[in-house]
Amino acid sequence: MRLKIGPFFVKLIFQYRTLLCLLVTVLFLLHHIERINIPLLNNIENVAYDLRLKLNLPGTIDSRIVILDIDEKSLAQEGRWPWSRDKLSYLVDMLFDYYQVKLLGFDIVFSEPDTSSGLGLLDKLSKNELADNEEFTSIVEALAPQLNFDTVFANSLENRPVVMGYYFNNANNNINPSSSLPKPAHNLKDLPPVGLIESHGYGANLKILQDKAIYGGYFNNASIDIDGSFRRLPLITEYDGKLYESLSLAMYRRLLEQPSLELTFNSGYDLASSTSRLESINIESLTIPVTDQGVALVPYRGKQGSFKYISATDVLNGITPPEELMNKIIIMGATAAGIFDLRITPVQSVYPGVEVHANLVSAMLDQRFKSKPTYMLGVEFVELILLALLVIVLYPKLSSGSAAMVFGLIILAMFTLNIYAWRELNLDNFIATPMVLLFILFSIQIYFGYFLETKRKNKLGQIFGQYIPRKLVEDMSKSEDNYSLKGENKELTVLFSDVRGFTSISEKIEPEELCELMNEILTPVTKVIHHNNGTIDKYIGDAVMAFWGAPLHDDKHAYNAVKASLEFASILESINHDFVAKGWPHIDLGVGINTGNMNVGNMGSEFRIAYTVMGDAVNLGARLEALTKQYGVRVIVSESTKLAAPEFVYLELDRVRVKGKNEPITIYEPLCLSQDLTEEISQQLGLLQIAYNYYHKQQWEFAQKKFATLAQQYPDKLLYRLYLDRIEEYINTAPEADWDGVYTHTSK
């Protein structure tokens, strides 16, 4: 009986093994022709692409292109950005008249009028209060051409090889009526059907600027990969039935005196569609291979620094030698902190966006692009089928050792051919997908027939250990509840903590010391948060984001968050004591806390993911932290946090509208636990309440006296001086008739 059953089961296993291999192969083929999507394959293919790109970087500096950098030095010399348009006009004049550059492109958009000259105020006075003063009116009229900085800037752009930058988006209702797009490169009605990326809104330059410059290109990227990396960029896009070009493409065409832009289509090889497929963009002798959406691979030269950077202030002041810019292609962008256009790229995780455009312009000048012609889709499709047949037919006939050797030889051959196609033929042929298929099929052949049942063990320590204290992990392990990283919406409390004046501190010490300094700040702060059952969300430079109430439920999440913020005072005293001994600067923290409904769970991409919280309540917490410096307090909590943690004594600070919110909220400073309330604090709160009553009733004289008394009794309390300043303003200029006592903050 056994002799009969044995061969039967061998045959049955072989058949199922073959069917499983065929099923996996079909899934890979469907993924390849985009009938289904397997994100893991995309991620692996992206990693393989990045490695291949890095192995073949030119690694040279292109001296033809210079990046005019709005850097920290420029901001220190010329003032904060944005600069007045008359200064930009002078900069443009210097570039073309003194330095004689060949072309200027702006990786910047000028969408708002410049009112810094005060012309609007003078004009208002001449039409109202001083309308009868003919001398004043005539002076204003005479000065108007000089003080209209937008016109001055526009005039400097006229009849010069300048390409303005702008961006597209998908917001239909945010188009500034005073802005204007450049002329489109084509009307799509004149072309075959093209499946370009379509935009529904834009952020463009003022009409007067765009009309004078004439030419422009968008600098945003609507083809960012799921991991956030800039591997490719659409060179053309569709808006309102017209075709517009990217900044790099517009600069290249402007350099050649605007030759026509032509599109090449192919058909017959696209396995996913029978229609014509966009194949390339042609400009005179240049052919740029693109996808059917007009997207090109960015041909990076190397890491940041593949192009010369020159500080904008050095050009403004004529410090840069003329020969460094003469006949150069200039792209103006920013790398200064706060306006840094940061991007993730295959060559570097932090990369200036302006240099992405420089790489594309450089590649156009050298005709250096990688292509993936339509027929390659068919070649890759056949490659997957051949690999599957090879494994299914060949493996059963080989010993384990021989099969492993064949497997290795196939991998080596695939890798060698792929690198050859990249380097010599400029072809972008996939590599990771066939290798993954080969590995899976090989594994099925080896391990099929072994049915291993795996036990699902509790991995909470591994999953949550980096976010929450060990004690909570132990409690979760003992609990019978199920814990998950899946998203959910629940009431939580979020805390943002930031080191005050960190930028100035970082400029005073060496990088090695800065790392040590940050560790000595963040470690005790984290310990306090963990001690109070908080979950660390992330470290953002010198800032800490934490939340309470997840993953382990906590009825007292608001209480624990406020308690942690008050304990920061003691650790700061210890930290500063140690810092004095080391000669480091004194530090302080700003803390914002808010309670509300938030989305919590693993969020991000499949390439990079984190257990985090999101939502309006989270954003409000960040806004509150930013307000601490303005009110001169260490901690600010929202009204919802105060209600959720009534165990504390709070000092009311203000009723405000934070940036991005229409509804006013009352903000508070937590002082101590209720049982620790002293007579002095109680008297201060009572006097403050009287002062607030007068303030909200607009009885300015009485309110002023009360706040003056508070300011005298508590000279270190910035809050009372802040209200005295406000009252002084309201005495001089009465608030609107419908004033509700709410102060609106216009900055974050």
Side-chain angles (χ1 to χ4, degrees):
M1 188 70 178
R2 289 183 179 178
L3 293 175
K4 294 180 180 179
I5 294 176
F8 170 76
F9 276 106
V10 170
K11 183 177 180 180
L12 186 65
I13 290 173
F14 178 77
Q15 289 176 343
Y16 279 123
R17 180 172 59 186
T18 302
L19 287 174
L20 185 56
C21 288
L22 290 174
L23 176 61
V24 171
T25 304
V26 169
L27 290 176
F28 272 64
L29 292 173
L30 292 174
H31 169 81
H32 183 60
I33 62 174
E34 298 181 355
R35 296 301 188 190
I36 65 172
N37 180 40
I38 305 176
L40 179 61
L41 288 180
N42 295 330
N43 292 337
I44 297 173
E45 199 66 62
N46 285 337
V47 172
Y49 175 88
D50 295 349
L51 291 173
R52 183 176 53 191
L53 181 66
K54 291 176 182 177
L55 288 172
N56 296 278
L57 290 173
T60 56
I61 296 177
D62 190 340
S63 60
R64 299 167 298 183
I65 301 170
V66 174
I67 294 174
L68 187 61
D69 192 8
I70 305 170
D71 54 7
E72 296 287 357
K73 177 182 176 182
S74 297
L75 297 186
Q77 292 285 340
E78 309 298 334
R80 67 180 183 180
W81 184 263
W83 295 337
S84 63
R85 302 281 161 78
D86 64 327
K87 180 174 290 189
L88 292 172
S89 172
Y90 180 74
L91 177 63
V92 172
D93 290 341
M94 285 288 291
L95 287 170
F96 286 102
D97 296 338
Y98 180 69
Y99 287 103
Q100 299 181 27
V101 301
K102 185 181 294 184
L103 175 68
L104 172 61
F106 285 101
D107 185 24
I108 305 166
V109 63
F110 305 101
S111 58
E112 300 294 334
D114 184 351
T115 59
S116 62
S117 69
L119 177 60
L121 178 59
L122 294 174
D123 187 56
K124 183 178 179 181
L125 289 172
S126 69
K127 294 178 179 178
N128 295 289
E129 290 87 343
L130 299 176
D132 298 331
N133 191 326
E134 294 182 1
E135 181 179 359
F136 180 82
T137 304
S138 62
I139 291 174
V140 172
E141 291 176 353
L143 291 176
Q146 304 171 45
L147 295 180
N148 191 328
F149 290 168
D150 287 325
T151 300
V152 172
F153 184 34
N155 291 336
S156 69
L157 303 174
E158 189 173 16
N159 298 322
R160 281 173 168 164
V162 174
V163 178
M164 305 300 289
Y166 62 95
Y167 61 88
F168 281 118
N169 55 38
N170 287 318
N172 292 302
N173 58 352
N174 69 339
I175 298 174
N176 186 343
S178 63
S179 65
S180 174
L181 288 174
K183 290 176 58 178
H186 269 296
N187 191 323
L188 290 176
K189 295 179 181 178
D190 303 329
L191 298 172
V194 187
L196 300 179
I197 295 172
E198 185 176 359
S199 298
H200 302 285
Y202 61 82
N205 295 281
L206 294 175
K207 189 175 189 306
I208 186 174
L209 301 179
Q210 187 60 70
D211 288 349
K212 292 289 186 179
I214 302 176
Y215 306 105
Y218 60 87
F219 48 69
N220 60 297
N221 186 357
S223 293
I224 304 173
D225 286 329
I226 193 169
D227 60 358
S229 186
F230 272 48
R231 296 181 180 88
R232 47 188 65 83
L233 188 142
L235 296 182
I236 52 178
T237 195
E238 177 183 350
Y239 174 75
D240 194 26
K242 299 178 179 61
L243 185 151
Y244 291 87
E245 55 195 331
S246 68
L247 177 63
S248 54
L249 189 60
M251 289 182 66
Y252 180 77
R253 290 183 66 214
R254 185 68 184 90
L255 195 65
L256 300 183
E257 302 297 335
Q258 291 301 111
S260 61
L261 185 152
E262 298 177 357
L263 305 181
T264 298
F265 296 85
N266 260 331
S267 61
Y269 294 102
D270 193 341
L271 298 174
S273 174
S274 60
T275 60
S276 297
R277 181 181 186 274
L278 179 62
E279 189 77 20
S280 66
I281 299 172
N282 306 300
I283 305 168
E284 292 189 342
S285 61
L286 172 65
T287 298
I288 306 174
V290 294
T291 68
D292 55 346
Q293 290 188 309
V295 177
L297 293 169
V298 180
Y300 291 98
R301 300 187 70 88
K303 292 185 176 182
Q304 180 183 0
S306 298
F307 305 88
K308 186 175 181 63
Y309 282 73
I310 290 182
S311 181
T313 188
D314 288 345
V315 173
L316 275 167
N317 294 288
I319 296 174
T320 302
E323 59 271 15
E324 291 193 17
L325 292 178
M326 186 174 294
N327 290 323
K328 304 292 186 183
I329 299 169
I330 310 298
I331 307 180
M332 186 173 178
T335 64
I339 54 174
F340 197 179
D341 183 20
L342 289 174
R343 297 289 179 257
I344 301 171
T345 68
V347 296
Q348 198 170 335
S349 59
V350 179
Y351 194 86
V354 64
E355 197 161 333
V356 175
H357 304 296
N359 276 286
L360 284 163
V361 174
S362 174
M364 292 174 193
L365 294 173
D366 295 334
Q367 301 194 23
R368 180 176 49 86
F369 282 92
K370 302 299 179 184
S371 67
K372 190 164 190 172
T374 305
Y375 68 80
M376 284 303 300
L377 298 175
V379 172
E380 292 170 345
F381 189 88
V382 172
E383 181 182 354
L384 294 176
I385 294 176
L386 290 177
L387 282 175
L389 293 176
L390 187 65
V391 173
I392 292 171
V393 174
L394 188 61
Y395 179 82
K397 299 178 182 180
L398 299 174
S399 65
S400 298
S402 299
M405 184 179 296
V406 171
F407 176 79
L409 289 174
I410 294 173
I411 292 291
L412 180 61
M414 290 169 58
F415 181 78
T416 302
L417 289 173
N418 189 273
I419 295 298
Y420 173 80
W422 177 276
R423 289 179 176 175
E424 304 301 328
L425 305 178
N426 286 321
L427 290 176
D428 173 33
N429 183 21
F430 71 172
I431 181 66
T433 302
M435 285 189 174
V436 172
L437 175 63
L438 185 62
F439 177 81
I440 293 175
L441 297 181
F442 195 74
S443 299
I444 291 172
Q445 294 289 338
I446 293 175
Y447 297 109
F448 195 91
Y450 294 92
F451 300 97
L452 304 174
E453 291 190 5
T454 58
K455 296 180 180 180
R456 299 185 63 186
K457 297 181 179 180
N458 195 335
K459 298 293 184 181
L460 292 174
Q462 297 177 3
I463 297 174
F464 292 106
Q466 58 182 313
Y467 304 118
I468 61 177
R470 290 182 179 179
K471 182 180 180 301
L472 289 188
V473 175
E474 293 171 2
D475 292 342
M476 293 166 69
S477 299
K478 296 174 184 177
S479 173
E480 295 182 358
D481 295 334
N482 291 322
Y483 297 96
S484 165
L485 295 177
K486 293 180 180 180
E488 59 179 321
N489 185 277
K490 61 188 300 188
E491 183 184 272
L492 306 172
T493 297
V494 67
L495 176 149
F496 287 85
S497 172
D498 191 50
V499 177
R500 294 242 181 98
F502 180 74
T503 300
S504 61
I505 293 173
S506 64
E507 292 172 349
K508 297 175 183 177
I509 61 177
E510 296 298 321
E512 295 82 2
E513 285 187 300
L514 183 61
C515 291
E516 183 182 355
L517 179 145
M518 285 309 307
N519 290 338
E520 293 199 20
I521 295 173
L522 296 179
T523 298
V525 167
T526 302
K527 286 181 179 179
V528 169
I529 292 171
H530 279 180
H531 178 72
N532 288 280
N533 298 334
T535 299
I536 296 294
D537 187 301
K538 61 176 71 72
Y539 301 106
I540 315 167
D542 61 309
V544 179
M545 177 181 171
F547 55 91
W548 279 257
L552 192 65
H553 181 71
D554 182 5
D555 288 328
K556 303 186 70 176
H557 52 83
Y559 170 86
N560 287 326
V562 176
K563 181 171 174 286
S565 71
L566 293 178
E567 290 179 7
F568 286 161
S570 61
I571 66 165
L572 281 172
E573 184 177 347
S574 175
I575 290 171
N576 284 316
H577 180 270
D578 294 339
F579 279 18
V580 170
K582 294 183 178 183
W584 288 349
H586 181 279
I587 64 106
D588 200 358
L589 297 177
V591 180
I593 303 175
N594 183 44
T595 301
N597 286 331
M598 307 170 193
N599 294 315
V600 60
N602 253 8
M603 301 179 194
S605 67
E606 293 187 8
F607 188 83
R608 181 176 298 174
I609 200 163
Y611 187 69
T612 186
V613 289
M614 295 180 66
D616 287 340
V618 179
N619 298 334
L620 179 55
R623 298 287 191 273
L624 296 182
E625 182 279 318
L627 293 180
T628 56
K629 189 173 181 180
Q630 298 186 38
Y631 288 90
V633 296
R634 179 174 292 134
V635 185
I636 292 181
V637 305
S638 66
E639 194 170 0
S640 57
T641 300
K642 175 180 178 290
L643 293 173
E647 298 89 346
F648 297 92
V649 176
Y650 298 87
L651 184 150
E652 182 178 341
L653 297 173
D654 206 354
R655 187 156 177 81
V656 300
R657 290 186 185 89
V658 298
K659 185 173 177 59
K661 297 283 185 181
N662 292 323
E663 291 298 321
I665 62 166
T666 305
I667 58 176
Y668 300 86
E669 178 191 11
L671 300 179
C672 61
L673 285 165
S674 297
Q675 60 263 31
D676 297 330
L677 177 64
T678 63
E679 183 64 23
E680 181 184 0
I681 294 176
S682 180
Q683 290 178 0
Q684 181 186 177
L685 295 177
L687 183 57
L688 178 59
Q689 189 57 55
I690 295 172
Y692 277 145
N693 290 338
Y694 286 133
Y695 176 83
H696 289 292
K697 292 177 181 178
Q698 301 186 40
Q699 296 179 5
W700 306 124
E701 182 179 350
F702 294 111
Q704 191 176 45
K705 288 180 180 180
K706 294 300 179 182
F707 279 114
T709 301
L710 285 165
Q712 185 177 7
Q713 292 180 3
Y714 306 97
D716 295 331
K717 199 74 173 175
L718 176 64
L719 175 69
Y720 305 137
R721 298 198 301 274
L722 182 149
Y723 273 96
L724 286 172
D725 291 340
R726 281 193 199 169
I727 292 169
E728 189 68 28
E729 291 180 11
Y730 289 144
I731 290 174
N732 295 328
T733 305
E736 300 292 337
D738 59 349
W739 182 69
D740 55 2
V742 176
Y743 187 81
T744 300
H745 288 275
T746 58
S747 61
K748 294 183 180 179

